[in-house]
Amino acid sequence: MQKHGKQTWVFSTPPKLIDGAAVAGPDEGKGPLAHDFDLLYADLWAGEKSFELAEKKMMQDACDTVLKRNQDKPIDFFIAGDLLDQIISSSFTARELQVPYLGIFGACSTSMLGLALAAFLVDSGAAKYALAATSSHNNTAEKQFRYPNEYGAQKPPESQYTVSAAGAGLVAASGSGPRITGATMGKIVDMGISDPNNMGAAMAPAAADTIYQHFQDLQLTPDAYDLIITGDLGQVGHEITKELLQQKGIVLNDQQFVDCGLLIYDRETQPVFSGGSGCGCCASVLYGHFLKRLQRRELKKILVVATGALMSPLSYQQKETIPAIAHGVVLEG
Amino acid sequence: MQKHGKQTWVFSTPPKLIDGAAVAGPDEGKGPLAHDFDLLYADLWAGEKSFELAEKKMMQDACDTVLKRNQDKPIDFFIAGDLLDQIISSSFTARELQVPYLGIFGACSTSMLGLALAAFLVDSGAAKYALAATSSHNNTAEKQFRYPNEYGAQKPPESQYTVSAAGAGLVAASGSGPRITGATMGKIVDMGISDPNNMGAAMAPAAADTIYQHFQDLQLTPDAYDLIITGDLGQVGHEITKELLQQKGIVLNDQQFVDCGLLIYDRETQPVFSGGSGCGCCASVLYGHFLKRLQRRELKKILVVATGALMSPLSYQQKETIPAIAHGVVLEG
């Protein structure tokens, strides 16, 4: 482990992402990445009696899918977080797994915070196998962060649609799979946006900050990567990020710079406003879609930057602005 | 870094806890540890216009106190979490600090989860200086987890009183202060208790599990430690933990086995039921009281085990039991 520049870890013995699983709900199952998910649910209940239990089941199913395929590999640590108050989806999943558990919270940046920490544990010798997971669920998030689902409240076009999905990634010291070579850990960026219906705009400056810092810390230019992937900025946030980076001299084109929140749905036929959001968005697209493309060697090197809007319903009611953060992880095929 | 047994890290180049600060509210200022705090507030508003802003101010003040005394030491990472939904006390403090931020959640185990991760980052070379912090506030916790403060709801004698306090610890690769030599990371233990007014009993089996595992992993007996300190079990939980450990052959006496939730108040004169609780309890007692005793060489080696009850108000309403966890850190003078 070496620290480069201000915010970037470079792993000395790069851990491998040896497996990953993604599970998703019915809307995601109608989107363009449907075939990449390990499991699709017919409805948002997932056979449970509350949406919260359904979200927990999704995270559990993602973890179980990975664990069943890797029964010979005992997990040393489970690192997880989610959007629900007191990260209950994660803690109740951890109750089933019965391994040491590190609870984390970074809102929608949680996926890469978890993957970075898992790689960190493995690189340092503290774990042979670490499992990182996160989840989100449209109905649990809507009712907690916005309005009761039954209201059917209207939304502005810049709002985003919370993805119902979970993803889990298994990091190991050795094995086959892409190497996790580095991570850039974000700091809070808050440009004064207070509208929780415009999270893309709130998170964009944090995404730009972490991507810029990544290139600074490693003295790289964007051509080092096949893809630079953001988590869930949506159309509005993605465009702002591109512009902010351009102002700093980093020019990304639409082929190279993509967003999981834009990839997971077909915005022409699905009513998802500016795109998908939620912890499960980046996690399910990485562990479901991009991991396969890395395994097939279609992609050699990617930077995945998950962004989080760290407000709470209470901080919004108290008229606070939204502190945003972004954490990035480098994967090499 | 080496992993010993199932759950314990032993740091190869033990980082130092070079400084710590604790701030606390008026009730804590009337307790037996009043003189150990760096700053006491006259009321629970701490000069702010909401209790949430007051809690954030407490965490900020604890961090600022440490940072002012260590201006020559640039912080690489801030690791923090708290009880409030979406850990807003921590994220809004991170917004001020403007350094890379890792958000964590372990309810009242957060203090030792953060200190263990800070030591981990420094031991591995990922950081020269890492700051770990947490906080709790009686009125923010009561209104979020139980009843509106104005109800004046009655409480059963086994309930606990949320500490209004914050603590911050500065971990460094070198410098003077106790060494952080190891950490035992807990797994979830849930013995079926669902009453959030009896958290001590819910957390006791997790505390016993981590303490037992710590001795197993390191092949130690209790006489290796001057003190074994739990975070906020209170009278009820502390007694259950002692009994559970006794059943496993680990006998601790009352001089050696203490609880921050019992130390911070005078239970004879203060109406705190079974004792103190909250993230800020263990953090303020460690960084305020025990750190000074280690610095004065009154104590040579301590094990600090912070316990967390990982339920949410929603999981309780949905009749879930309480998943509990405990993380332990070893400090040597």
Side-chain angles (χ1 to χ4, degrees):
Chain A
M1 160 64 61
Q2 288 179 302
K3 190 175 166 228
H4 284 239
K6 283 185 184 169
Q7 296 176 217
T8 301
W9 297 330
V10 173
F11 298 117
S12 318
T13 49
K16 304 283 187 70
L17 179 60
I18 61 167
D19 202 2
V23 304
D27 291 323
E28 296 70 25
K30 289 179 197 120
L33 306 183
H35 296 293
D36 285 333
F37 299 121
D38 294 81
L39 184 60
L40 288 171
Y41 305 91
D43 60 46
L44 284 177
W45 296 96
E48 298 292 326
K49 62 185 178 180
S50 75
F51 292 130
E52 288 74 22
L53 288 174
E55 178 173 343
K56 185 253 169 190
K57 184 169 195 323
M58 288 185 178
M59 191 190 284
Q60 177 84 47
D61 283 344
C63 293
D64 284 350
T65 304
V66 170
L67 296 177
K68 269 181 203 157
R69 289 197 294 242
N70 297 276
Q71 289 183 9
D72 55 329
K73 305 179 184 81
I75 306 299
D76 297 293
F77 291 95
F78 178 55
I79 303 165
D82 58 273
L83 288 172
L84 295 192
D85 299 345
Q86 289 74 52
I87 61 168
I88 49 172
S89 312
S90 304
S91 296
F92 284 93
T93 300
R95 184 171 70 180
E96 309 292 327
L97 297 181
Q98 283 297 304
V99 294
Y101 163 52
L102 312 184
I104 56 173
F105 180 77
C108 308
S109 72
T110 299
S111 57
M112 290 308 104
L113 175 57
L115 185 60
L117 282 174
F120 196 104
L121 293 186
V122 171
D123 179 57
S124 70
K128 268 181 85 171
Y129 300 103
L131 186 67
T134 187
S135 63
S136 56
H137 186 290
N138 191 284
N139 289 21
T140 65
E142 284 299 315
K143 79 187 232 199
Q144 180 181 282
F145 285 103
R146 296 182 188 92
Y147 297 98
N149 303 320
E150 294 78 2
Y151 277 19
Q154 284 194 313
K155 293 184 130 198
E158 67 273 19
S159 69
Q160 293 179 244
Y161 189 81
T162 305
V163 166
S164 301
L170 180 57
V171 179
S174 61
S176 73
R179 291 175 302 142
I180 303 169
T181 53
T184 299
M185 309 313 288
K187 61 180 194 290
I188 301 277
V189 180
D190 184 337
M191 299 298 279
I193 287 176
S194 59
D195 177 4
N197 274 316
N198 197 1
M199 287 193 308
M203 298 190 296
D209 189 73
T210 295
I211 294 169
Y212 178 78
Q213 197 62 47
H214 179 80
F215 291 132
Q216 289 290 109
D217 285 351
L218 296 178
Q219 297 284 303
L220 286 177
T221 50
D223 55 11
Y225 294 98
D226 295 329
L227 288 178
I228 294 160
I229 301 157
T230 51
D232 59 347
L233 290 172
Q235 190 65 39
V236 173
H238 204 245
E239 275 169 23
I240 297 173
T241 304
K242 208 163 72 175
E243 203 173 306
L244 289 171
L245 285 169
Q246 203 152 10
Q247 287 169 11
K248 291 186 167 192
I250 295 173
V251 181
L252 302 173
N253 64 50
D254 289 341
Q255 278 68 51
Q256 190 189 16
F257 188 47
V258 298
D259 182 66
C260 300
L262 292 171
L263 293 167
I264 196 165
Y265 298 119
D266 179 350
R267 285 174 66 238
E268 302 217 344
T269 61
Q270 296 187 291
V272 295
F273 312 98
S274 183
S277 70
C279 299
C281 181
C282 184
S284 67
V285 174
L286 171 60
Y287 300 126
H289 175 71
F290 286 114
L291 176 56
K292 292 184 182 72
R293 291 183 63 188
L294 285 159
Q295 286 165 339
R296 289 196 300 257
R297 295 172 201 276
E298 284 171 33
L299 296 170
K300 278 187 191 153
K301 188 172 179 183
I302 61 175
L303 170 64
V304 187
V305 180
T307 50
L310 305 180
M311 82 290 187
S312 80
L314 192 71
S315 74
Y316 161 69
Q317 286 157 6
Q318 293 183 349
K319 306 208 186 301
E320 268 293 347
T321 54
I322 300 174
I325 199 164
H327 301 296
V329 174
V330 180
L331 290 155
E332 300 191 37
Chain B
M1 160 65 62
Q2 288 180 302
K3 190 174 165 231
H4 283 240
K6 284 185 183 169
Q7 296 175 220
T8 301
W9 298 330
V10 174
F11 298 117
S12 317
T13 49
K16 304 282 187 71
L17 179 60
I18 60 167
D19 201 0
V23 304
D27 291 324
E28 297 70 25
K30 290 179 197 120
L33 305 184
H35 296 292
D36 285 333
F37 300 120
D38 295 80
L39 184 61
L40 289 171
Y41 305 91
D43 59 45
L44 283 176
W45 296 96
E48 299 291 327
K49 63 185 179 180
S50 76
F51 292 131
E52 289 75 20
L53 288 174
E55 179 174 341
K56 184 253 170 190
K57 183 168 195 328
M58 288 184 178
M59 191 189 283
Q60 177 85 47
D61 282 344
C63 293
D64 284 350
T65 304
V66 170
L67 295 177
K68 269 181 203 156
R69 289 197 293 241
N70 296 276
Q71 289 183 9
D72 55 330
K73 305 181 185 82
I75 306 299
D76 296 294
F77 292 96
F78 177 56
I79 304 165
D82 58 274
L83 288 172
L84 294 192
D85 299 344
Q86 289 74 53
I87 60 168
I88 48 171
S89 312
S90 304
S91 296
F92 285 94
T93 300
R95 184 171 70 179
E96 310 291 326
L97 297 181
Q98 283 297 304
V99 295
Y101 163 54
L102 312 183
I104 57 172
F105 180 76
C108 309
S109 72
T110 299
S111 58
M112 291 307 106
L113 175 57
L115 184 60
L117 282 174
F120 196 104
L121 294 185
V122 171
D123 179 57
S124 70
K128 269 181 85 172
Y129 300 104
L131 185 68
T134 187
S135 63
S136 56
H137 186 291
N138 191 284
N139 289 22
T140 66
E142 283 300 314
K143 79 186 233 200
Q144 179 181 284
F145 284 104
R146 295 180 188 94
Y147 297 97
N149 302 320
E150 293 77 3
Y151 276 20
Q154 284 195 314
K155 293 184 129 198
E158 67 272 19
S159 69
Q160 293 178 244
Y161 189 80
T162 305
V163 166
S164 301
L170 179 58
V171 179
S174 60
S176 74
R179 291 175 302 142
I180 304 170
T181 53
T184 299
M185 308 313 288
K187 60 180 196 288
I188 301 277
V189 180
D190 184 338
M191 299 299 278
I193 287 175
S194 59
D195 178 4
N197 274 316
N198 197 0
M199 288 193 307
M203 298 190 295
D209 190 72
T210 295
I211 294 169
Y212 178 77
Q213 197 62 48
H214 179 80
F215 290 133
Q216 288 290 110
D217 286 351
L218 296 179
Q219 297 285 304
L220 286 178
T221 51
D223 53 13
Y225 295 98
D226 294 330
L227 287 178
I228 294 160
I229 301 158
T230 50
D232 58 346
L233 290 172
Q235 190 66 40
V236 174
H238 203 245
E239 275 170 22
I240 298 173
T241 304
K242 207 162 73 173
E243 202 174 306
L244 289 171
L245 285 169
Q246 203 152 12
Q247 287 169 10
K248 291 185 168 193
I250 295 173
V251 181
L252 302 173
N253 64 51
D254 290 340
Q255 277 68 50
Q256 190 188 17
F257 188 46
V258 298
D259 181 65
C260 300
L262 292 172
L263 293 167
I264 195 165
Y265 298 119
D266 178 351
R267 285 173 64 238
E268 301 217 343
T269 60
Q270 296 186 291
V272 297
F273 312 99
S274 184
S277 69
C279 299
C281 181
C282 184
S284 67
V285 175
L286 172 59
Y287 300 126
H289 175 72
F290 286 114
L291 176 56
K292 291 184 182 71
R293 292 183 62 188
L294 285 159
Q295 286 164 340
R296 290 196 299 258
R297 295 173 201 276
E298 283 172 34
L299 297 170
K300 277 187 193 153
K301 190 172 177 182
I302 62 174
L303 170 64
V304 187
V305 180
T307 50
L310 305 180
M311 82 290 187
S312 79
L314 192 71
S315 74
Y316 162 68
Q317 285 156 7
Q318 293 184 349
K319 307 205 186 302
E320 268 292 347
T321 54
I322 300 174
I325 199 163
H327 302 296
V329 174
V330 180
L331 290 155
E332 299 191 38

